[in-house]
Amino acid sequence: MMNNVSVVTMFTLSGLSGTTNYRLFLFALTLLCYFVIWLVNLTIIVTIIVHKKLHEPMYIFLCNLCINGLYGTAGFYPKFLIDLLSKTHVISYAGCLLQGFVLHSSAAADFSFLVLMAYDRYVAICRPLVYHSFMTKQKVGVFVFFAWLVPFYMLFMSTITTSTSRICGSQIPKIYCVNFLVANLACSASIANIVIPALNYTFYFCHFMLVGWSYIHLIRTCKASKENWSKFMQTCVPHLFCLAVGVVSLLFDLLYMRFGSKGLPQSAQNFMAMQFIIVPPIINPLMYGFKLTQIRQIIKSALCGRGSVVGLKS
């Protein structure tokens, strides 16, 4: 048998092993959570698409952020709901790699769009005279294209690297698949499985540094003007909050997966593993929906049956 052919065709997800007594409750709660995620994200997406007044860079990036939230959660919730109703929690080798790719690429794309939103606010507030000439529809389209392409390409390469390893185990101590845990089941260590993830983490750490740099300039600029400070509080505070939620949720899982104690109860492990699949997809649209004036007024008007809201003032 060739070295790059896996001898394992199915994995067992052992994260649900201790949930027998309250699976139906978890199923109902998870289904409700998934419904809320679709409701709030789809509301923002449809609102931005339907109302031409919102066809601006900030809202276009937000729309894609919400689409990415639906994409990422689709890689987890349907499979998790099926597992809650099943006595066996298995996933095929190909399905495991696909799930890992979807969850990883969605998390990476989240940061890409949050960086674009930070840069958009930097140009709008710090360089307002060149904003409309720089953030044209063509350039925004290019930004969005690469915000999807780069995470997909980087995580595709990581997934391909994992798939070439010969696997000598079938137990994944989690409720979903991630490349790191699949790579840990490899019969022998691979340099590529270390180098490529390290490059990915470095790349997105640079994203985080870029956001920090842009907000240092934003705060310096906004402190000198009451009008700019008002803009900062309205559009930048939701962004900072969403970024902080995303980073903390992801770090919870990543740090525990690599350095956490194995003696932690399985329910606590599952809670930390689900943070970035539950919190950001709900918080992101809610924060922007309630905080950004135009979106809030449009949604409120639609709920009250007032019809069109042409001429709204932000």
Side-chain angles (χ1 to χ4, degrees), residues 168-212:
C168 290
S170 61
Q171 291 286 330
I172 294 182
K174 212 175 182 69
I175 54 178
Y176 54 80
C177 286
V178 290
N179 285 345
F180 174 77
L181 295 178
V182 176
N184 280 353
L185 297 175
C187 300
S188 58
S190 167
I191 295 177
N193 279 332
I194 298 173
V195 172
I196 292 180
L199 290 175
N200 290 348
Y201 290 139
T202 303
F203 179 74
Y204 283 98
F205 177 75
C206 292
H207 275 48
F208 186 76
M209 296 299 292
L210 180 62
V211 172

Side-chain angles (χ1 to χ4, degrees), residues 113-134:
F113 286 114
L114 288 171
V115 167
L116 285 178
M117 293 167 81
Y119 184 68
D120 173 78
R121 292 301 86 199
Y122 164 75
V123 177
I125 296 175
C126 296
R127 304 182 63 189
L129 296 179
V130 299
Y131 178 77
H132 291 291
S133 61
F134 187 79

Side-chain angles (χ1 to χ4, degrees), residues 14-287:
S14 59
L16 284 174
S17 57
T19 60
T20 307
N21 296 330
Y22 47 94
R23 259 181 215 171
L24 289 178
F25 171 74
L26 280 177
F27 178 85
L29 192 63
T30 303
L31 188 62
L32 176 63
C33 182
Y34 195 34
F35 172 77
V36 171
I37 288 172
W38 266 92
L39 177 65
V40 294
N41 282 279
L42 204 59
T43 299
I44 298 295
I45 292 167
V46 171
T47 300
I48 292 173
I49 291 174
V50 169
H51 294 271
K52 293 184 178 180
K53 191 176 182 66
L54 300 179
H55 292 182
E56 298 175 3
M58 180 69 173
Y59 300 110
I60 292 172
F61 297 147
L62 174 59
C63 181
N64 280 272
L65 183 68
C66 292
I67 292 172
N68 182 59
L70 295 181
Y71 159 70
T73 53
F76 169 73
Y77 282 94
K79 167 62 177 167
F80 184 63
L81 287 167
I82 292 171
D83 283 344
L84 286 172
L85 297 179
S86 175
K87 294 182 179 179
T88 58
H89 312 123
V90 295
I91 186 170
S92 68
Y93 182 74
C96 187
L97 292 177
L98 178 62
Q99 185 179 55
F101 171 78
V102 170
L103 294 177
H104 283 91
S105 60
S106 175
D110 247 14
F111 282 100
S112 294
F113 286 114
L114 288 171
V115 167
L116 285 178
M117 293 167 81
Y119 184 68
D120 173 78
R121 292 301 86 199
Y122 164 75
V123 177
I125 296 175
C126 296
R127 304 182 63 189
L129 296 179
V130 299
Y131 178 77
H132 291 291
S133 61
F134 187 79
M135 299 297 284
T136 62
K137 289 183 178 179
Q138 291 77 14
K139 288 182 179 178
V140 169
V142 171
F143 290 154
V144 169
F145 174 75
F146 280 102
W148 283 110
L149 178 65
V150 172
F152 273 51
Y153 174 76
M154 295 180 72
L155 273 304
F156 178 75
M157 294 303 296
S158 180
T159 303
I160 290 296
T161 302
T162 303
S163 70
T164 58
S165 301
R166 188 179 177 199
I167 305 300
C168 290
S170 61
Q171 291 286 330
I172 294 182
K174 212 175 182 69
I175 54 178
Y176 54 80
C177 286
V178 290
N179 285 345
F180 174 77
L181 295 178
V182 176
N184 280 353
L185 297 175
C187 300
S188 58
S190 167
I191 295 177
N193 279 332
I194 298 173
V195 172
I196 292 180
L199 290 175
N200 290 348
Y201 290 139
T202 303
F203 179 74
Y204 283 98
F205 177 75
C206 292
H207 275 48
F208 186 76
M209 296 299 292
L210 180 62
V211 172
W213 171 82
S214 65
Y215 271 98
I216 289 172
H217 283 270
L218 274 169
I219 292 171
R220 286 178 178 174
T221 302
C222 293
K223 284 173 68 177
S225 167
K226 190 174 181 180
E227 181 182 353
N228 284 342
W229 187 253
S230 177
K231 289 181 181 178
F232 178 87
M233 294 300 293
Q234 184 187 27
T235 60
C236 297
V237 169
H239 177 269
L240 275 173
F241 184 81
C242 292
L243 182 65
V245 166
V247 170
V248 171
S249 299
L250 198 57
L251 283 178
F252 252 110
D253 185 45
L254 290 177
L255 292 178
Y256 178 78
M257 189 164 54
R258 284 159 175 76
F259 311 111
S261 169
K262 302 299 181 183
L264 196 68
Q266 187 63 55
S267 57
Q269 294 182 38
N270 292 344
F271 176 76
M272 287 191 289
M274 293 180 69
Q275 287 294 303
F276 84 98
I277 309 171
I278 296 176
V279 181
I282 293 177
I283 292 297
N284 289 350
L286 286 180
M287 274 300 296

